[in-house]
Amino acid sequence: PALRKCRRDIQMIFQDPFASLDPRKTVSQIISEPLLIHKLVRRGPECEKRVLELMDIVGLAHRWYNTYPHQLDGGRRQRIGIARALDPKLMICDEPVSALDVSIQAQILNLLKDLQEERNLTCIFITHDLSVVHHFSDEIAVMYLGHVVEKAPAEELFQRPLHPYTRALLSAIPIPDLSVRRSRIILKGEVSSPIGLPDECRFKSRCYEYSQACEGREPELVEVSPNHFAACRCCAK
């Protein structure tokens, strides 16, 4: 029972809105499946009513009720994925907009943001696009080779990035303003294999600030300023 409750409270939105949907099932069957598995509704009118409510919440017209995923565009398919994951306490979003056109990305992000605020959802948003992270997140954790190298509130991290890897990532974000000039930090060297890493800084081979003072065991995540953590000996000084 405890495992079933855990599965019910945590739902996931997958990266590919086509591959993550069963092509043999209709929109209504896909959305109702987790509701029935976790016994949140009964089959019949109660289930149909709840499916239609979820379709309304994510902006899917009722006319798509009996259609199949291949009959819909990427944006509508992703809305199906959101609708079937809408009753949890924790929602994990794994690159939910990377496979969509830019205009559709904005619609899905705005939808997720509205749902997050209206339904008081906690979201773990996994992405490589920092501009999306800035729009969506309250707190950001930057990872390198499976290890968190910096963690801070979103505004704090964008205004005062500490870790060299974070600064390099932020320097790569395009600014749509010709009057603004920002130097790009180009990382050199090869990305190390994540298998069997030595007990040292994982960013060592590519760090442009690495010095003898950085030698030693892998740096731990240290609170450099209130709610701002970094795993870097240079940052912690």
Side-chain angles (χ1 to χ4, degrees), residues 51-113:
V51 169
L52 291 173
E53 288 175 354
L54 291 171
M55 291 178 69
D56 287 336
I57 290 171
V58 299
L60 275 173
H62 290 187
R63 66 178 182 275
W64 306 120
Y65 187 85
N66 287 316
T67 57
Y68 290 87
H70 72 272
Q71 297 174 287
L72 304 174
D73 59 28
R76 290 191 177 96
R77 288 198 292 263
Q78 196 61 297
R79 289 172 189 266
I80 298 171
I82 296 170
R84 71 175 175 182
L86 261 191
D87 279 323
K89 294 180 180 177
L90 173 65
M91 182 184 292
I92 301 175
C93 307
D94 180 16
E95 296 273 12
V97 297
S98 64
L100 306 176
D101 293 337
V102 175
S103 59
I104 305 299
Q105 285 185 13
Q107 295 177 19
I108 297 300
L109 286 172
N110 288 333
L111 171 62
L112 287 171
K113 190 68 175 177

Side-chain angles (χ1 to χ4, degrees), residues 74-147:
R76 290 191 177 96
R77 288 198 292 263
Q78 196 61 297
R79 289 172 189 266
I80 298 171
I82 296 170
R84 71 175 175 182
L86 261 191
D87 279 323
K89 294 180 180 177
L90 173 65
M91 182 184 292
I92 301 175
C93 307
D94 180 16
E95 296 273 12
V97 297
S98 64
L100 306 176
D101 293 337
V102 175
S103 59
I104 305 299
Q105 285 185 13
Q107 295 177 19
I108 297 300
L109 286 172
N110 288 333
L111 171 62
L112 287 171
K113 190 68 175 177
D114 291 342
L115 292 173
Q116 185 184 30
E117 294 173 355
E118 292 170 5
R119 304 173 73 86
N120 197 28
L121 291 176
T122 299
C123 296
I124 297 177
F125 197 94
I126 305 167
T127 183
H128 64 277
D129 189 338
L130 281 176
S131 59
V132 169
V133 172
H134 194 193
H135 170 81
F136 190 80
S137 303
D138 298 314
E139 291 194 5
I140 300 173
V142 179
M143 301 184 71
Y144 185 79
L145 292 178
H147 181 77

Side-chain angles (χ1 to χ4, degrees), residues 12-27:
M12 188 161 184
I13 301 172
F14 295 91
Q15 179 175 356
D16 188 336
F18 189 75
S20 61
L21 302 179
D22 190 336
R24 298 167 298 178
K25 292 185 177 181
T26 64
V27 171

Side-chain angles (χ1 to χ4, degrees), residues 6 8 15 83 147 157 163 176 189 204 208 233:
C6 178
R8 184 186 65 197
Q15 179 175 356
H147 181 77
L157 186 128
H163 197 280
K204 174 181 178 179
Y208 49 90
R233 291 186 178 88

Side-chain angles (χ1 to χ4, degrees), residues 28-42:
S28 61
Q29 290 172 330
I30 292 170
I31 296 175
S32 64
E33 185 175 26
L35 300 175
L36 296 171
I37 289 175
H38 297 300
K39 299 180 180 180
L40 299 176
V41 296
R42 296 180 180 179

